[in-house]
Structures are given as structure tokens and as C-alpha cells.
Amino acid sequence: MLAYRLNNLSSPFTIFHKRLPRTMKPAAKITESTYDESAHFGVQRLKSRIIKQISHEFRTPLTSIIGFADMLGEKIPIDENQRLEYANYIRNEGLRLTKLVDDLIRLDSLEQGHAELQLMEYEIQETVRCALKLVAELALNKFVHISIEMPIEPLILKFDREKLIHALYQLLHNAVRFTKHGGLLTLKVETDGGYTVISIQDSGPGIMANDIPSLFKRFGKLYHHGEEIHGSGVGLAIVKHIIDQHNGDISVQSRIGEGSTFSVRLPLQLS
């Protein structure tokens, strides 16, 4: 009798054992499908956010270009000064769009690891002066005074000159842009242990403490008195990538109403 019961019990266990792999497979497929679907929606949300942000950045200059082009196309008599003013607006907005496209391409190249460093020895003071020349016109138009403090003795470092000039230009452009009309911008180059430190201090509105962590992220935004400060949110992300490539670091100190200081630290000996 006991043997009969054991024989009868063994049958369903055997059947269950044989069917176990088949029973588990659909569950595994459902889990994998759910994971893929979740990942897909995550990518779609990220793509939608990026497209929305880029569209926002393109819309403003395009609106200006179309508006001023329409004014020039109308059969309303305008004097030569007005015509030149409208043409200048169109040109500046076109340059702004070109810079945005270039920055997006540059950032993508850096993030994908396609932008290798072209390392050679250069004088850091000369490189800083080249970056300053790129913002000279903007500073002149805003009557911004730039105070420069650099060592007399040449500081020779190994770095990618083109990329570092671009990073410094981004920082200087932001500093001039946010410095009030007729304000002061201070640029310092000094050594600190095994590093060269380049500090750029503006006299702008300052950055709120809770905005600082997102400064160097792609499409990071700044706010002043609750209002978004216009900008592509790409420039500082590029700066961070370039400085990281040089085994350096970048930091920011800021006080509302007094201004901000961005400090770039580059190793004297690049490993």
C-alpha cells in the first residue's frame, strides 16, 4: 500500500519536474520584455527632453531672424541706419545659431570619447591672452574692465591648446555676459603646489547654491529671482569635459549680488 502511494505521488512530481523549464520560460520572457519596454520609454523620455530643449534654444533666434527679414522685405521706406541695424540683428542671431550647433556637435564628440587631446608644450599666459582676445569686443561694448594678474615668468604646460582656449573662452564669455554694464572682471593665473590655477571672477548677479551642482551638466539651467537665465546649457558641460581630459578640475564659488569665481586647476605635469 505504501509503495502504491509513493508510486502515485512520484507521478505528479515527475510531471512537474519535466514541465518546470517550460513553466519558467514565459516568466523570464515577460521580465525581459518589461525591462526592454522600461528602458525604451526611458530613452524616449530623454530624447523628448533633449529635443524640447534644443527646439527652445533654436526658436528664439529663428523668430528674430524671420521678424527682421520680414521688416526688410516689406515695402516700407527705412533709412540706411535702420537697414544696417536689422541686417546686424539677423547676422548676430545667425552666428548664435551656428555657435549652438557647433557646441552640440563638440559636446557629443567629447561625450563619445572621439575628441582626443593633441598635447604639446605651450605657455599658459599666451594661451590665456588668446582667449581674452575672443571676448574683447563684447567686453568693450559693455564697458567691462578686465583686470589681469599673471606671473612674469612663462609657465610652460603640456595641453591641447585649441581645446583649452575654447574652454577659457566659454568661461570668459559667460563672465563678461553676466557682469553688469561698466563692471569689473578679474582674471588671475597662479601656481598652487603641482597645479596652475586660472581664476575668472565676475561682478554679476551670482549663482544660487542649489543651482551650482547642475552647472556643468548638459542643458543645465540657471535661475535669478525665479526666472530662467537664457543660455544653451551646453557651454559649461563642454568646459567640464575638456578640463577632465587634462586631469584637471573646475570649481565655482558664488555669492548672490556679488558675483561668481570659476577656478580651473591644471596639473603642471600631465600624466
Side-chain angles (χ1 to χ4, degrees), residues 26-228:
K29 287 182 180 179
I30 291 171
T31 304
E32 184 178 347
S33 174
T34 304
Y35 173 80
D36 290 343
E37 189 174 312
S38 176
H40 172 73
F41 282 126
V43 171
Q44 289 300 314
R45 282 195 298 270
L46 177 61
K47 186 169 72 172
S48 296
R49 185 172 67 85
I50 291 173
I51 291 173
K52 183 179 179 181
Q53 184 65 46
I54 293 174
S55 299
H56 173 73
E57 296 302 331
F58 272 79
R59 187 177 292 112
T60 302
L62 282 173
T63 300
S64 297
I65 289 171
I66 293 168
F68 285 111
D70 287 343
M71 290 181 189
L72 289 173
E74 291 175 356
K75 294 181 179 180
I76 300 174
I78 57 174
D79 60 35
E80 185 64 14
N81 288 335
Q82 276 187 309
R83 189 188 69 79
L84 289 174
E85 183 182 353
Y86 294 165
N88 193 47
Y89 272 119
I90 292 172
R91 180 179 182 276
N92 288 339
E93 292 301 278
L95 290 173
R96 182 174 155 195
L97 281 174
T98 301
K99 182 181 182 302
L100 177 57
V101 172
D102 288 343
D103 282 350
L104 288 169
I105 293 171
R106 188 186 298 267
L107 179 59
D108 181 68
S109 179
L110 287 166
E111 289 182 339
Q112 297 298 325
H114 298 155
E116 295 183 1
L117 294 179
Q118 304 298 319
L119 297 174
M120 290 185 66
E121 288 189 342
Y122 298 100
E123 180 188 324
I124 197 69
Q125 291 98 319
E126 183 272 338
T127 303
V128 169
R129 283 191 286 268
C130 285
L132 279 167
K133 288 178 183 178
L134 298 176
V135 298
E137 184 178 355
L138 178 61
L140 188 63
N141 291 337
K142 290 189 66 177
F143 296 96
V144 172
H145 176 72
I146 301 179
S147 172
I148 305 170
E149 300 177 25
M150 294 193 288
I152 297 175
E153 290 295 321
L155 290 173
I156 307 299
L157 279 74
K158 184 178 285 188
F159 54 87
D160 187 314
R161 185 174 182 274
E162 181 184 348
K163 285 188 174 63
L164 188 58
I165 287 176
H166 184 82
L168 294 175
Y169 161 73
Q170 291 279 6
L171 294 173
L172 286 166
H173 185 273
N174 284 351
V176 174
R177 179 184 165 205
F178 289 114
T179 294
K180 60 186 178 182
H181 192 86
L184 174 66
L185 187 156
T186 303
L187 186 150
K188 292 182 181 179
V189 177
E190 55 192 342
T191 57
D192 179 20
Y195 290 86
T196 293
V197 183
I198 305 168
S199 300
I200 299 170
Q201 180 180 4
D202 64 48
S203 51
I207 303 168
M208 296 181 65
N210 57 342
D211 285 337
I212 290 178
S214 62
L215 269 182
F216 301 102
K217 295 179 181 178
R218 180 169 55 174
F219 301 128
K221 288 296 181 182
L222 295 178
Y223 295 87
H224 183 60
H225 295 311
E227 294 186 4
E228 182 180 308

